[in-house]
Amino acid sequence: FFLDPFTFPIMFSKLATRVAPRVSPRLFSSGGGGGGAGGALLGLAIGAGGAAFYIQSNPDVVDLVPASKVAETEEKFATYWPRNVMMLFGPPGSGKGTQGPKIEAMLGIPQLSTGDMLRAAVKNQTEIGKKAQGIMKAGGLVGDDIVVGIIKDRIAEPDCKFGFILDGFPRTQPQAKALDTMLAEEGACVSKVIELNVPDSILEERICGRWIHKASGASYHVKYAPPKSMKLGADGKPDPASMLDDATGEPLMQRPDDTASALVNRLKEYHRMTKPILKHYQPHGVVGSVNANQEMTKVWADMQANLKSGKN
């Protein structure tokens, strides 16, 4: 069972709080098998005091830690351990919508969409949300300072204490610099930037076959990940009426800009505006690249390798 400095605080919390009662106290092995003083076992025991977490460095010695100590240790990591501030980049159709939730589940940190955060701030009528609402009602564009302010408010919430993944921001170098300044004021910095690489020539098929469930953001593809309800018409193309979300049965939709003609402009914009952001962070040694033009299992394996601390 592998734990490195990047994942330990998250996994410590998740293991100690999410395992069902009566779990065997020798559940996880860290490779040594417990066979001698040099071996180590990592496990859980559930007792009268609640969840107990232990690390066994010797097979004859087990140190149990009550649930209250687990929470205390978790808080220490949240306070003193550097937060994982991640960015996921890639052109339209590269698989960000697939890989982001997997990272969320593995590390226990939320993926933050600037669009979602902006809508939430306006809906909740926060101070910064009111400013954004006024600008949008006047027909203006929300400036970088407003967006950075919304991010600042959002990452102060409890679910971001170990870190977060930024999706859709920054899009330009000025935005990246504004974000860096804000994070520095919080005593943090960008710790990992991962780009999903797919040749432009491959993306048209991916984009034009994509369908989404608007409410949940769930993504489907007529070839690679079709909904269970999909049926083909006489022309061999999916019947739109049969495109339903697997979980809710609600209709799926295609984005208006998920067309071949729109993709050309979107890719130009991506390369022109977004690529320089990678160069901005490269001197910090935090930029990694993943070949997203391969089998999904291999993409995820490469993603996990990139997530390990110190490996790009």
Side-chain angles (χ1 to χ4, degrees):
F1 188 84
F2 176 76
L3 289 177
D4 65 13
F6 189 84
T7 57
F8 181 76
I10 306 300
M11 295 304 296
F12 185 95
S13 170
K14 292 175 76 173
L15 287 173
T17 57
R18 298 186 186 179
V19 177
R22 296 183 295 280
V23 174
S24 166
R26 296 193 174 208
L27 183 60
F28 303 108
S29 171
S30 62
L41 278 171
L42 179 65
L44 277 171
I46 310 298
F53 183 95
Y54 68 82
I55 296 176
Q56 180 181 344
S57 57
N58 182 300
D60 298 320
V61 179
V62 176
D63 295 323
L64 293 178
V65 182
S68 59
K69 289 294 184 181
V70 171
E72 181 181 330
T73 301
E74 177 184 298
E75 188 59 34
K76 286 181 180 179
F77 274 113
T79 303
Y80 300 109
W81 202 271
R83 268 203 298 191
N84 295 325
V85 180
M86 300 178 57
M87 295 178 183
L88 196 56
F89 285 99
S94 60
K96 297 188 298 296
T98 299
Q99 300 303 320
K102 289 185 177 182
I103 300 172
E104 280 187 291
M106 185 177 77
L107 297 182
I109 58 178
Q111 182 176 7
L112 306 180
S113 161
T114 49
D116 291 344
M117 286 186 284
L118 179 59
R119 285 186 288 271
V122 171
K123 180 180 179 180
N124 296 331
Q125 288 293 283
T126 65
E127 183 178 346
I128 198 91
K130 290 177 181 178
K131 291 181 180 179
Q133 186 177 35
I135 293 172
M136 290 186 292
K137 281 186 175 180
L141 295 175
V142 177
D144 293 348
D145 58 331
I146 297 290
V147 178
V148 170
I150 288 172
I151 294 173
K152 183 176 181 179
D153 287 349
R154 177 64 181 87
I155 65 176
E157 295 181 19
D159 64 336
C160 293
K161 65 182 179 180
F162 287 127
F164 50 90
I165 309 162
L166 284 175
D167 176 12
F169 190 89
R171 293 183 183 272
T172 65
Q173 279 188 299
Q175 289 179 349
K177 291 177 180 179
L179 177 67
D180 291 345
T181 299
M182 183 272 285
L183 290 174
E185 293 171 353
E186 302 283 318
C189 63
V190 175
S191 57
K192 181 63 70 173
V193 178
I194 297 180
E195 181 191 23
L196 296 172
N197 279 311
V198 181
D200 288 0
S201 58
I202 301 295
L203 293 172
E204 181 176 339
E205 181 183 51
R206 288 192 178 187
I207 286 291
C208 296
R210 185 167 64 181
W211 290 70
I212 61 172
H213 180 233
K214 187 174 182 180
S216 67
S219 182
Y220 298 86
H221 192 279
V222 297
K223 180 178 180 179
Y224 303 111
K228 297 175 182 178
S229 59
M230 187 181 81
K231 295 180 180 179
L232 300 180
D235 58 359
K237 296 181 179 180
D239 177 2
S242 73
M243 302 298 282
L244 306 174
D245 178 49
D246 288 347
T248 65
E250 295 174 347
L252 303 178
M253 61 168 287
Q254 284 190 294
R255 287 174 45 169
D257 55 354
D258 277 355
T259 63
S261 58
L263 179 61
V264 173
N265 293 327
R266 293 172 69 189
L267 288 175
K268 285 181 180 178
E269 184 71 5
Y270 172 77
H271 293 307
R272 184 177 72 86
M273 300 292 286
T274 310
K275 282 280 190 177
I277 299 173
L278 301 176
K279 293 183 179 180
H280 171 76
Y281 287 109
Q282 280 173 344
H284 302 283
V286 298
V287 178
S289 180
V290 169
N291 175 15
N293 187 31
Q294 55 181 336
E295 293 180 7
M296 295 292 289
T297 54
K298 292 181 179 180
V299 175
W300 178 235
D302 287 354
M303 179 68 73
Q304 289 176 298
N306 267 267
L307 290 173
K308 291 180 181 179
S309 182
K311 296 184 179 181
N312 297 320

